[in-house]
């Protein structure tokens, strides 16, 4: 099982949205990794906050949609070997999610789920630094979102 700790001090998301993200991420974890219990945090912030985080930790002074900070290095738990796997942290800009939903012509729900899953896949080691990796990550995202009921055309 995956334990998801939500941090939303400013009230950017509803409890229903958080519950659905929790279900999606547990669904994805069962499909991809479910060999042990694990935990992650998901934070929801505004554009200014994610710009500050992006600048501080990635040296990019721009707004982005999602940032992931993995806590594991390869197969090892950096916290303590006997502790539950701590996969890391996902930070999502709800402002950017709303903009992208409109730009891409689908629902805010679908964009929020997509960004949550995208960040989660990064915590599991997926990336899109080259064409082959990007294709695999995109296929995995689409397969999971479709199976969960959040297809791209929503």
């Amino acid at each position: 099982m995956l334990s998801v700790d939500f941090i939303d001090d400013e009230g950017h998301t509803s409890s229903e949205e958080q519950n659905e993200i929790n279900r999606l991420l547990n669904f994805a974890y069962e499909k991809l990794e479910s060999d042990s219990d694990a935990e992650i945090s998901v934070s929801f912030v505004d554009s200014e906050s994610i710009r500050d985080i992006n600048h501080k930790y990635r040296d990019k002074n721009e707004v982005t949609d999602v940032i992931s900070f993995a806590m594991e290095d390869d197969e090892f738990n950096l916290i303590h070997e006997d502790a539950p796997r701590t996969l890391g942290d996902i930070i999502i800009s709800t402002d950017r999610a709303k903009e992208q939903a409109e730009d891409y012509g689908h629902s805010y729900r679908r964009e929020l789920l997509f960004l949550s899953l995208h960040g989660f896949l990064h915590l599991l080691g997926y990336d899109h630094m080259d064409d082959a990796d990007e294709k695999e990550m995109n296929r995995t995202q689409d397969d999971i979102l479709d199976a969960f009921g959040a297809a791209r055309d929503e």
Side-chain angles (χ1 to χ4, degrees):
M1 185 177 102
L2 179 69
S3 175
V4 182
D5 181 29
F6 291 101
I7 302 166
D8 188 2
D9 296 336
E10 302 291 321
H12 295 289
T13 56
S14 68
S15 59
E16 292 83 12
E17 290 165 333
Q18 291 178 16
N19 287 336
E20 188 167 33
I21 290 167
N22 186 23
R23 288 194 313 274
L24 170 65
L25 298 181
N26 271 279
F27 179 79
Y29 191 65
E30 287 176 22
K31 288 182 109 28
L32 300 171
E33 286 284 326
S34 64
D35 57 338
S36 64
D37 288 346
E39 55 189 32
I40 65 169
S41 74
V42 179
S43 299
F44 302 99
V45 299
D46 60 20
S47 291
E48 181 180 334
S49 296
I50 207 158
R51 178 194 305 267
D52 292 344
I53 294 164
N54 204 18
H55 187 244
K56 181 176 181 178
Y57 294 101
R58 299 180 66 226
D59 202 28
K60 295 182 178 186
N61 191 20
E62 58 191 37
V63 174
T64 190
D65 51 6
V66 60
I67 299 175
S68 298
F69 295 101
M71 294 292 288
E72 289 188 334
D73 183 11
D74 295 324
E75 297 294 317
F76 302 103
N77 189 339
L78 296 177
I79 303 299
H80 185 278
E81 65 184 38
D82 295 328
R85 289 179 70 192
T86 303
L87 298 177
D89 305 315
I90 301 167
I91 303 168
I92 297 171
S93 167
T94 53
D95 293 340
R96 192 70 187 115
K98 289 172 186 166
E99 292 168 9
Q100 288 178 177
E102 187 173 316
D103 291 347
Y104 300 142
H106 55 239
S107 69
Y108 172 67
R109 170 189 176 262
R110 199 273 180 195
E111 188 66 17
L112 203 55
L113 292 173
F114 169 81
L115 293 174
S116 300
L117 179 60
H118 184 86
F120 181 63
L121 290 178
H122 279 301
L123 297 183
L124 296 179
Y126 287 80
D127 215 332
H128 42 80
M129 297 302 287
D130 62 44
D131 289 343
D133 288 345
E134 182 175 17
K135 186 175 182 177
E136 178 185 0
M137 188 171 185
N138 287 340
R139 181 183 40 77
T140 301
Q141 288 171 160
D142 288 344
D143 289 349
I144 290 170
L145 288 167
D146 288 349
F148 186 75
R152 187 177 292 270
D153 60 354
E154 179 184 302

